[in-house]
Amino acid sequence: MPEPGAPATLEEFQALRRAARMSTFPDPAVALSLERTLHGVWLREGETLIAMGRLTGDGACFVQVNDVAVHPDWQGQGLGTQVMDRLMGWAESNLPKGCYISLIADAGAERLYEKAGFALRTGMARRVP
């Protein structure tokens, strides 16, 4: 059974995003983003990163769920739910009451987040060109 482990390296993080068919970001941006993680869940089978998720934000009023990914070889085994349960457990124990937790999900991932208590809201997003 996968166990929580050390935070992902830049290379592991990018590799898992690619394996899970998620977009990647430039390495310098990812390095900075990883440094600013409020809380991360990094599931490993031995030394290999197989699932992950992070919380980012100001840690008081606004926090965002980011980078929830499970390697395709491990999908369908409840690891995404385990990652979300661990993230939300940490949030409920460590963030102030009323903190707004948001996320932007890829199409098809809605059920995972609904199981974690998220509801569909209207939102907009933009990337810096």
Side-chain angles (χ1 to χ4, degrees):
M1 185 65 167
E3 294 291 326
T9 65
L10 172 71
E11 294 78 16
E12 290 174 316
F13 178 88
Q14 295 282 54
L16 183 51
R17 284 187 64 92
R18 279 191 300 275
R21 295 178 189 87
M22 297 167 68
S23 61
T24 58
F25 296 90
D27 285 353
V30 171
L32 185 57
S33 184
L34 288 172
E35 288 174 14
R36 295 179 177 175
T37 299
L38 287 175
H39 181 70
V41 174
W42 317 98
L43 298 182
R44 294 178 177 276
E45 179 65 24
E47 299 284 320
T48 304
L49 182 67
I50 60 169
M52 66 180 180
R54 301 186 307 136
L55 297 176
T56 60
D58 65 17
C61 295
F62 300 98
V63 169
Q64 186 169 13
V65 176
N66 302 104
D67 308 312
V68 176
V70 177
H71 192 283
D73 293 346
W74 290 86
Q75 290 175 4
Q77 299 182 42
L79 297 182
T81 299
Q82 184 178 341
V83 167
M84 287 302 299
D85 288 349
R86 289 175 180 271
L87 290 173
M88 294 304 98
W90 184 90
E92 291 168 10
S93 296
N94 292 279
L95 297 174
K97 182 178 173 131
C99 180
Y100 191 83
I101 304 174
S102 62
L103 60 86
I104 298 173
D106 289 335
E110 297 87 349
R111 185 161 181 249
L112 169 66
Y113 300 116
E114 287 169 351
K115 287 192 306 187
F118 286 81
L120 185 61
R121 301 276 191 262
T122 300
M124 300 176 79
R126 175 183 184 273
R127 285 196 182 215
V128 174

